[in-house]
Amino acid sequence: MILRIALLSLLVLGSTIVHAQSDAKQLYDAHCAACHGAERLGGTGPALIPDTLSRMRGPVLAKVISEGRASTQMPAFADKLSQDDITALADFLGKPLASIPSWTEADITASRSFNADYKAVTSPTFKADPLNIFLVVETGDHHVSVLDGDTFDRLDRFATPFAVHGGPKFSPDGHFVFIMSRDGWVQKYDIWALKEVGRVRAGLNARNIAMSKDGKWLAVANYLPHTLTILNSEDLSVARIFDVADRTGVTSRVSAVYQAPTRNSFVLALKDVAEIWEISTDPNAEPVLEGYVHSHEKGMVEAIPSSQGLFARRRIAISQPLDDFFFDPEYRNLIGAARDGNKAVVVNLIVGREIAELPLPGMPHLGSGISWMRDGKRVMATPHLKEAKLSIISVDDWSVVATIPTEGPGFFLRSHESSPYVWADVFFGPNKNAMHVIDKQSLQIVKTLRPVPGATVAHVEFDRYGRHAVVSVWEDDGAIIIYDAKTLEEVRRIPMRKPSGKYNVFNKITFSEGTSH
Ligand code: DHE
């Protein structure tokens, strides 16, 4: 009898869950699909899947559905839907898709669009130093501000695709910049003309982009689908799509792609398989050997057909997936964080294998690593996402040489060749309003800035000469604050809408040791 009741209640509960889900799906079809796509993959509005909504979950999502989004076309639904409907809808949007959707070359090509107002120029249309331009990503209303790096005057402010993430990538001459959104859109903007050129959707959920050494190719790392898309940077057409899978066919998300300038290649971090990929951007690249097979016909061991030339792909087998890289300045080695967040592994790109392992508990955020010379030796620093400290590592022998306690876990680090200081934010926890300034030689915190009580203060970028350091007040009614990089005094404050990353053209195209790549 008891069993019967239990079974009955399970059945009722099961049907309630199924019922709630189908109701939520009906609500989605009726109210959201027109803008966000029948499959939640985006349309005029962004994709609504957990992969792209990132940290916007549950109550935060419900609040956006209720109240809408200022400065966007997202309306408020509080007067159309009940609180229960809104909660059900938010839960539904937080659920992953049932299967990995496809996004083919034809889909990418069909998504390309170009700005009819854009006319190509051969020199800058402004007087400012084109190599000292700053881009500031304003995530509050999905815009980018273009600033003169000498006067900090605003030259332009343009709309970007929804939810830009990661560093924009510049053409080697600093003429063009490419900006990527989590929905996989890549926007091309002409800095000299101060105009958007066009955009293309290279994936459904993208991680970051990398520019090839010669500026001809742009690689887009995708979580959805499991691909790396290589675009022709000139016209945003598809040059190649790599389906990403290991030797045994297990597919993987690409967690990041980086340019290795000294190697004329892209290096890929794969999220789900124990391989690192290197893709050559050299048209004359040597053949890459994939491995050997036993040929019964010839009775001998034969090399598996290898790729060569442009986009030749090399697989480097590693002991476990690594998804966050720092490279040494010569790009001979990379150091990646292991999945358990407790150690890092060094992979030598020349011999193609792991050469060292070091204990780094507390989730090192190696993608934000920077390096400098200390006592004649190169060291690198990394923040930790889960511990209030910075680790200083010797690049010579990959040992941890020092640990600097901070006021909380940080996200980003920055310095400049001409600055004696490293700037480190405290992104998480009660002290998120603090910005530490650390002496590169003594490794002591020399000053902690707290420009706005209670506000998140994060991410720094220097101008090309290292005279000024620009800090984000990462709030919706935020600002950027310009500091004298020597005296550490505030020089100017410019209001902005939740400014996140800032990028100086010169520092980026010269791969300054003080910036992450
Ligand atoms: Fe980022 C860069 C991964 C969450 C803001 N972030 C990067 C890069 C990677 C990465 C691989 C380097 C790409 C590049 O510049 O080419 N980020 C991740 C994550 O895995 C993580 C932890 C989880 C996720 O949701 O993807 C993550 N990142 C965030 C945020 O929550 C941040 C703070 C806010 C946001 O906009 O999403 C954020 N990430 C940034 C910024 C950069 C970045 C501003 C560029 C830093 C730079 O100076 O170059």
Side-chain angles (χ1 to χ4, degrees):
M1 181 65 178
I2 294 176
L3 186 70
R4 239 169 150 192
I5 294 172
L7 272 174
L8 210 65
S9 8
L10 262 180
L11 277 173
V12 172
L13 190 71
S15 80
T16 318
I17 292 170
V18 172
H19 189 59
Q21 269 189 7
S22 57
D23 282 356
K25 171 77 171 81
Q26 279 164 13
L27 287 171
Y28 179 85
D29 291 345
H31 299 284
C32 320
C35 294
H36 296 281
E39 305 300 329
R40 295 162 52 196
L41 296 174
T44 50
L48 297 179
I49 51 178
D51 320 72
T52 56
L53 291 167
S54 179
R55 289 185 294 157
M56 202 201 284
R57 299 274 152 84
V60 185
L61 211 48
K63 187 165 184 277
V64 175
I65 300 170
S66 285
E67 298 171 13
R69 255 180 186 280
S71 322
T72 73
Q73 290 172 34
M74 174 70 189
F77 283 91
D79 55 349
K80 295 191 193 75
L81 298 175
S82 68
Q83 198 47 52
D84 284 353
D85 284 351
I86 290 175
T87 309
L89 207 41
D91 284 352
F92 173 72
L93 299 181
K95 301 236 160 33
L97 296 175
S99 59
I100 298 173
S102 79
W103 190 247
T104 63
E105 180 171 347
D107 295 320
I108 300 172
T109 304
S111 73
R112 276 198 310 166
S113 71
F114 292 94
N115 176 7
D117 290 342
Y118 170 69
K119 285 199 181 55
V121 296
T122 51
S123 57
T125 52
F126 47 80
K127 289 215 175 72
D129 173 0
L131 294 185
N132 201 16
I133 296 294
F134 269 87
L135 296 194
V136 184
V137 176
E138 293 184 67
T139 54
D141 63 353
H142 311 283
H143 276 69
V144 161
S145 280
V146 183
L147 305 183
D148 173 341
D150 289 299
T151 62
F152 290 97
D153 290 341
R154 201 185 315 235
L155 304 177
D156 190 24
R157 188 171 190 275
F158 60 92
T160 65
F162 179 85
V164 165
H165 177 242
K169 298 291 143 66
F170 297 91
S171 59
D173 58 0
H175 183 166
F176 296 98
V177 65
F178 298 82
I179 296 166
M180 187 217 77
S181 75
R182 288 190 185 260
D183 275 1
W185 283 96
V186 174
Q187 176 181 37
K188 178 174 180 180
Y189 177 84
D190 184 333
I191 295 176
W192 292 0
L194 298 174
K195 282 257 182 313
E196 172 170 346
V197 180
R199 54 179 80 185
V200 60
R201 192 172 190 186
L204 293 172
N205 177 219
R207 296 291 296 164
N208 80 326
I209 51 177
M211 170 63 72
S212 65
K213 184 180 178 174
D214 59 11
K216 286 186 180 161
W217 316 108
L218 193 77
V220 185
N222 292 319
Y223 261 11
L224 286 178
H226 291 181
T227 55
L228 179 89
T229 306
I230 301 185
L231 300 172
N232 182 326
S233 62
E234 181 72 31
D235 60 3
L236 302 178
S237 61
V238 175
R240 179 74 77 86
I241 297 175
F242 281 92
D243 289 322
V244 178
D246 71 4
R247 285 171 204 270
T248 66
V250 176
T251 67
S252 175
R253 295 167 287 176
V254 184
S255 40
V257 57
Y258 297 98
Q259 184 201 141
T262 58
R263 303 177 59 79
N264 202 352
S265 65
F266 293 128
V267 178
L268 277 66
L270 305 186
K271 184 92 180 163
D272 308 305
V273 298
E275 285 183 9
I276 288 170
W277 282 14
E278 183 172 28
I279 294 177
S280 178
T281 45
D282 176 359
N284 304 313
E286 296 282 313
V288 182
L289 211 56
E290 287 268 309
Y292 298 91
V293 282
H294 186 260
S295 162
H296 291 292
E297 218 173 84
K298 297 181 189 160
M300 57 185 273
V301 171
E302 262 192 331
I304 293 178
S306 54
S307 53
Q308 70 183 85
L310 189 62
F311 307 145
R313 186 214 34 211
R314 173 183 179 217
R315 296 172 190 268
I316 298 175
I318 47 175
S319 55
Q320 58 190 305
L322 302 174
D323 64 1
D324 188 14
F325 291 166
F326 168 84
F327 294 87
D328 63 18
E330 293 81 30
Y331 286 78
R332 274 201 293 262
N333 299 290
L334 64 81
I335 170 167
R339 183 67 54 84
D340 63 8
N342 279 325
K343 66 169 187 268
V345 176
V346 181
V347 178
N348 182 284
L349 289 168
I350 298 164
V351 297
R353 63 179 172 78
E354 294 175 2
I355 56 161
E357 201 178 283
L358 58 155
L360 274 185
M363 275 207 137
H365 192 221
L366 293 162
S368 290
I370 60 167
S371 79
W372 67 91
M373 296 302 286
R374 179 171 180 260
D375 295 336
K377 292 202 164 133
R378 185 161 292 277
V379 292
M380 72 154 292
T382 178
H384 293 254
L385 298 176
K386 295 232 166 113
E387 271 181 32
K389 66 178 185 188
L390 298 178
S391 292
I392 312 296
I393 296 160
S394 156
V395 175
D396 285 347
D397 62 6
W398 302 105
S399 59
V400 179
V401 294
T403 301
I404 305 174
T406 58
E407 288 192 16
F411 221 106
F412 303 108
L413 292 180
R414 270 296 202 275
S415 186
H416 188 275
E417 282 77 351
S418 71
S419 169
Y421 306 124
V422 173
W423 294 55
D425 57 39
V426 176
F427 203 87
F428 305 98
N431 300 317
K432 61 190 176 48
N433 64 339
M435 173 70 69
H436 296 305
V437 182
I438 299 162
D439 185 287
K440 281 165 149 176
Q441 301 309 315
S442 70
L443 304 182
Q444 298 300 312
I445 296 177
V446 293
K447 193 164 184 179
T448 297
L449 304 162
R450 290 176 218 276
V452 183
T456 302
V457 172
H459 195 277
V460 180
E461 176 65 306
F462 286 76
D463 67 277
R464 72 175 281 189
Y465 305 104
R467 290 184 200 130
H468 292 109
V470 185
V471 172
S472 289
V473 179
W474 199 296
E475 300 290 338
D476 208 34
D477 54 348
I480 55 163
I481 305 181
I482 296 143
Y483 287 91
D484 182 309
K486 270 207 189 101
T487 64
L488 309 181
E489 293 301 323
E490 181 174 332
V491 175
R492 190 167 162 193
R493 211 174 265 221
I494 305 172
M496 298 224 176
R497 297 285 308 278
K498 208 175 196 183
S500 59
K502 302 160 295 299
Y503 310 91
N504 178 272
V505 173
F506 184 83
N507 295 342
K508 284 295 176 190
I509 63 176
T510 56
F511 288 80
S512 159
E513 65 176 24
T515 77
S516 44
H517 302 151

